[in-house]
Amino acid sequence: MTDGDFDVLILGAGSGGYACALRAAQLGLTVGLVEKGNLGGTCLHVGCIPTKALLHAAEVADSARDASKFGVSATLDGIDMAGVNSYKDGVVARLFKGLTGLIKSRGITVIEGEGRVTGPRTVTVGAATYTGKSLVLASGSYSKSLPGLELDGERVISSEHALKLDRVPASVIVLGGGVIGCEFASVWASFGAKVTILEALPRLVAAEDEASSKALERAFRKRKIDFRTSTPFQSVKTTDSGVAVTVEGGDVIEAELLLVAVGRGPSTDGLGYEEQGIVMERGFVLADERCRTNVEGVFAVGDIVPGLQLAHRGFQQGIFVAEEIAGLDPKPIDEAGIPRVTYSHPEIASVGLDEATAREQYGDDITTITYDLGGNGKSQILQTAGFVKLVGLKDGPVLGVHMVGDRVGELIGEAQLIYSWEAHADDVAPLIHAHPTQNEALGEAHLALAGKALHAHS
Ligand code: NAI
């Protein structure tokens, strides 16, 4: 006899866990959802949603600062962080309320507290024990640091601390030029802080196509964001006024704050996974393409599974697992088909293979085309620079779409369909894109790839 037996027991109510819960309940399964924090997890409370609210406030600040470019008289008189935070927290609160209501209305049992796997498909929360015919591990991730680098939450901070700042720092060193580093660098630069990014690898957002990194670096340079690539961090000392960071080679850089954005680690420590015989690697849970661990009836989704640590990947895996458990035989998720967006100013959006990876796989059968947003009416109206780059297989499908420019993140849906449906340039070229939109740039790039470029391209 336990405190609750469910068809599906889920550990963690972040994007992966709650999506699984909603879909499983919709499919008529009984669901227990264990959560120690708030429903919605990192994405809703300390990740995607609040950071994108900050980025939107940053865009508003840029619009005010640059108003004269459009003939509008306005000035940026300052950033009221209390006001920014209240806007951001309001967005989170409304979404949280909606999600809580939705979960309740689906009859999902929410079990509040820290769960630990203590037996086959069994989770213990405090003194209570729950079982599931299937168990889904969805315990998420945490902000990593480097050995010996302690996050004190005051001078040396993670993105979670950064979201709670009640002031715009005068200066910040951002350690790590990945997605989080570039997004926060972008926000703080818009808010008027002096920003320096330190990146160990030779380029910013190194997981993206090289052309996207170069374009972001150009834009950041123009925005006076200082970035130092091929510059590994060595040590930090706190000073009276902030931090002094020493990089390899001996240079010392000072600022008010150090943001550590060197990746996220899987939250799996002490949760009993290994004790139950689940195969792990460097703290991650290994799962196959059907999200199954090596233990019968135990699934894993989201950031604890090696691969892209993106909310929408976890979300889709959660839905997949619910359908798998319900016997619907869903189609496995293609990791390369997961869209990726960095919401900096300018944005980077991509899906599929970058040029280097495509060349490794297909050699000279690859063809690429880059359409400059300079030729796109809406981008000119917005005064944004950038491009749409396509990587295609000669006489074959589009293998990758890479875009840079303000708001290009909104174009990724079409790019994802093109990639996932293995469309050829000739299939896309005749599609009619509304004018004037940035979507036209996607259409124009496919015309060019099909050898029918109407406007100039490079
Ligand atoms: P990341 O892996 O994207 O970037 C970390 C960067 O830190 C890397 O470029 C790495 O080379 C650098 N680094 C590591 N050690 C270093 C050292 N000692 N010195 C200098 N540089 C060093 O990780 P990030 O940005 O922390 O993001 C974590 C996860 O969250 C990522 O998987 C990301 O995709 C996800 N995320 C996604 C967002 C989105 O989709 N818009 C937004 C924010 C995060």
Side-chain angles (χ1 to χ4, degrees):
M1 191 61 192
T2 72
D3 297 276
D5 304 304
F6 303 94
D7 292 325
V8 188
L9 181 60
I10 304 168
L11 184 53
S15 307
Y18 90 67
C20 185
L22 288 176
R23 185 70 181 124
Q26 195 174 47
L27 292 168
L29 301 168
T30 58
V31 182
L33 183 59
V34 182
E35 173 57 53
K36 68 176 167 142
N38 288 323
L39 297 175
T42 298
C43 165
L44 177 53
H45 298 279
V46 288
C48 321
I49 299 296
T51 51
K52 270 72 242 180
L54 281 188
L55 279 149
H56 183 67
E59 187 184 333
V60 174
D62 288 331
S63 296
R65 183 187 290 110
D66 299 339
S68 65
K69 270 205 315 205
F70 305 92
V72 176
S73 303
T75 50
L76 176 62
D77 297 334
I79 306 294
D80 161 23
M81 267 323 280
V84 171
N85 284 332
S86 137
Y87 147 69
K88 160 179 75 66
D89 297 343
V91 172
V92 172
R94 277 191 296 282
L95 291 170
F96 178 49
K97 191 169 170 222
L99 178 64
T100 307
L102 190 61
I103 286 186
K104 197 167 164 220
S105 74
R106 292 272 168 89
I108 293 161
T109 304
V110 175
I111 301 156
E112 289 176 15
E114 185 154 7
R116 195 168 178 278
V117 184
T118 50
R121 302 188 306 282
T122 301
V123 171
T124 298
V125 183
T129 297
Y130 304 89
T131 62
K133 290 194 187 93
S134 299
L135 172 64
V136 183
L137 309 177
S139 44
S141 61
Y142 66 93
S143 299
K144 274 199 310 198
S145 187
L146 297 173
L149 176 58
E150 197 204 327
L151 301 170
D152 63 19
E154 296 287 331
R155 299 284 188 202
V156 183
I157 63 173
S158 70
S159 57
E160 289 175 33
H161 302 124
L163 282 167
K164 294 200 185 96
L165 277 186
D166 58 2
R167 65 188 193 285
V168 177
S171 56
V172 195
I173 298 168
V174 174
L175 174 55
V179 190
I180 293 183
C182 288
E183 289 187 349
F184 272 98
S186 193
V187 168
W188 279 322
S190 296
F191 284 174
K194 181 178 178 306
V195 181
T196 306
I197 305 173
L198 302 177
E199 170 54 55
L201 295 174
R203 57 188 169 97
L204 298 180
V205 284
E208 292 292 341
D209 191 275
E210 195 168 347
S212 301
S213 295
K214 291 275 163 292
L216 184 73
E217 290 175 3
R218 257 194 316 277
F220 273 11
R221 226 172 263 128
K222 264 179 118 173
R223 295 183 60 199
K224 309 268 188 292
I225 297 174
D226 183 19
F227 57 87
R228 307 189 188 188
T229 48
S230 304
T231 306
F233 165 90
Q234 199 169 55
S235 62
V236 62
K237 271 201 198 118
T238 46
T239 63
D240 289 346
S241 56
V243 290
V245 170
T246 307
V247 297
E248 271 184 28
D251 275 3
V252 178
I253 308 156
E254 295 196 36
E256 187 180 325
L257 288 178
L258 172 66
L259 170 72
V260 180
V262 293
R264 294 184 63 87
S267 296
T268 53
D269 245 18
L271 298 184
Y273 297 175
E274 255 167 340
E275 289 88 325
Q276 294 307 316
I278 294 165
V279 173
M280 319 261 297
E281 198 176 274
R282 293 175 300 111
F284 288 92
V285 176
L286 298 189
D288 67 9
E289 61 162 18
R290 306 202 76 76
C291 300
R292 293 178 296 208
T293 69
N294 62 309
V295 174
E296 180 74 28
V298 180
F299 298 83
V301 300
D303 287 2
I304 59 170
V305 181
L308 292 169
Q309 290 174 308
L310 297 175
H312 44 283
R313 168 182 178 256
F315 196 84
Q316 200 56 34
Q317 287 174 328
I319 293 170
F320 175 93
V321 167
E323 295 186 351
E324 177 81 357
I325 291 168
L328 300 186
D329 194 24
K331 196 166 152 252
I333 296 161
D334 170 11
E335 285 269 329
I338 295 169
R340 308 167 290 260
V341 182
T342 304
Y343 296 86
S344 44
H345 168 37
E347 292 184 345
I348 300 175
S350 64
V351 64
L353 305 184
D354 63 13
E355 183 176 346
T357 311
R359 283 205 186 281
E360 264 169 40
Q361 290 186 21
Y362 299 99
D364 288 342
D365 291 337
I366 292 302
T367 171
T368 70
I369 198 97
T370 301
Y371 175 74
D372 193 304
L373 290 188
N376 174 255
K378 186 63 188 275
S379 299
Q380 284 311 301
I381 292 165
L382 296 173
Q383 296 274 286
T384 187
F387 61 77
V388 173
K389 172 176 173 176
L390 302 178
V391 179
L393 201 54
K394 284 176 192 157
D395 300 319
V398 175
L399 299 173
V401 181
H402 304 273
M403 300 180 282
V404 178
D406 290 336
R407 304 195 186 175
V408 295
E410 300 297 331
L411 310 183
I412 199 64
E414 181 179 356
Q416 210 243 338
L417 290 183
I418 292 168
Y419 172 83
S420 296
W421 288 349
E422 298 179 16
H424 290 219
D426 267 328
D427 300 326
V428 184
L431 299 179
I432 301 169
H433 294 89
H435 178 72
T437 60
Q438 285 182 300
N439 284 80
E440 286 177 292
L442 261 175
E444 193 65 45
H446 283 86
L447 276 170
L449 192 65
K452 304 171 188 169
L454 206 58
H455 295 88
H457 70 274
S458 56

